[in-house]
């Protein structure tokens, strides 16, 4: 039998446990800034290692992007999604309506921010941020959370790990027409039907992890 390299599920479990503690404390106090500040450090630490993402969450789609739910807090205080981008794939212009943190794991992506004029509804392009492995970008609705994300690589896939302050796949939010700024209601859902089993420890026991 060939050697099987076990993914480091312990690292992912640790992260989920730390996030659960965080939302049970600071988030319970409605201290969004504290959740974002500490969550950003935790996610930055997680994506500075690339030994923990289950293979089923990392498969590159033939085109577009997959948004795979890795974990949702039972009280829907946060969710964790693996975004897998086909070469050059991009999202529509969209909002989130909750805090978000995007951590780059493999490859690179560009987040183009937009601001929306309250009176006319038209969009104006803001800053473009390029993320490299280990980088984390924060999205805060109070500061403007409208953007379009593109895989910066034309010849290979990219993967980013997203954290949100709720069950992002079930949230009623918006896609915007880039020309007119006209909003359209949108619920993203998730690509995967099955979540990875992070709780089987037998392979780790055998590997002495
Ligand atoms: Fe987004």
């Amino acid at each position: 039998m060939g050697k099987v390299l076990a993914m480091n599920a312990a690292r992912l479990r640790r992260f989920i446990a730390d996030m659960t503690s965080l939302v049970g404390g600071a988030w319970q106090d409605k201290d969004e800034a504290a959740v974002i500040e500490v969550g950003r450090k935790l996610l930055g630490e997680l994506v500075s290692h690339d030994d923990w993402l289950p293979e089923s969450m990392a498969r590159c789609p033939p085109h577009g992007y997959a948004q795979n739910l890795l974990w949702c807090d039972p009280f829907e205080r946060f969710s964790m999604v693996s975004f897998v981008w086909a070469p050059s794939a991009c999202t529509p212009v969209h909002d989130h309506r909750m805090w978000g943190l995007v951590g780059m794991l493999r490859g690179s992506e560009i987040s183009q921010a937009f601001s929306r004029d309250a009176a006319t509804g038209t969009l104006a392009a803001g800053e473009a941020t390029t993320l490299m492995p280990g980088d984390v970008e924060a999205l805060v609705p109070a500061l403007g959370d409208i953007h379009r994300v593109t895989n910066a690589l034309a010849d290979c896939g990219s993967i980013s790990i997203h954290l949100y302050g709720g069950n992002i796949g079930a949230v009623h939010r918006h896609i915007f027409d880039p020309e007119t700024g006209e909003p359209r209601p949108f619920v993203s859902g998730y690509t995967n039907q099955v979540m990875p089993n992070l709780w089987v420890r037998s392979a780790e026991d055998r590997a002495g992890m």
Side-chain angles (χ1 to χ4, degrees):
M1 220 167 90
K3 192 182 173 197
V4 177
L5 284 175
M7 72 157 188
N8 192 346
R11 193 188 299 285
L12 179 52
R13 284 196 300 265
R14 181 77 256 158
F15 175 81
I16 290 167
D18 287 344
M19 278 304 302
T20 305
S21 298
L22 179 61
V23 296
W27 185 235
Q28 211 76 323
D29 299 336
K30 301 282 178 267
D31 190 345
E32 185 179 83
V35 172
I36 291 170
E37 185 189 333
V38 179
R40 180 178 204 131
K41 288 186 181 133
L42 293 171
L43 183 59
E45 168 68 17
L46 182 72
V47 296
S48 68
H49 299 89
D50 188 4
D51 60 358
W52 56 269
L53 185 66
E55 197 275 330
S56 63
M57 303 278 99
R59 280 184 209 130
C60 191
H63 51 79
Y65 52 94
Q67 40 196 327
N68 297 311
L69 180 66
L70 266 166
W71 184 256
C72 186
D73 172 67
F75 301 113
E76 297 178 273
R77 295 169 299 186
F78 75 97
S79 57
M80 183 180 191
V81 182
S82 168
F83 266 73
V84 190
W85 305 89
S88 300
C90 76
T91 66
V93 179
H94 63 275
D95 67 5
H96 307 82
R97 310 195 79 188
M98 55 178 55
W99 64 260
L101 289 164
V102 178
M104 203 72 221
L105 185 69
R106 294 177 203 164
S108 177
E109 71 185 37
I110 300 163
S111 172
Q112 171 65 59
F114 292 89
S115 57
R116 191 156 180 265
D117 187 294
T120 65
T122 53
L123 296 169
E127 219 179 306
T129 307
T130 300
L131 298 180
M132 301 300 287
D135 290 346
V136 178
E137 184 195 21
L139 292 156
V140 184
L143 306 176
D145 70 330
I146 300 176
H147 72 166
R148 173 197 273 146
V149 183
T150 307
N151 183 357
L153 307 181
D155 56 353
C156 77
S158 291
I159 301 178
S160 50
I161 305 300
H162 298 210
L163 273 185
Y164 299 98
N167 178 0
I168 190 68
V171 171
H172 290 259
R173 47 196 179 122
H174 306 95
I175 281 173
F176 299 92
D177 183 308
E179 304 305 323
T180 64
E182 194 181 323
R184 194 156 51 82
F186 159 67
V187 178
S188 67
Y190 298 109
T191 305
N192 57 323
Q193 298 295 316
V194 176
M195 287 164 69
N197 186 341
L198 309 179
W199 308 99
V200 178
R201 293 169 182 260
S202 47
E204 291 161 47
D205 287 344
R206 281 196 299 275
M209 287 169 78

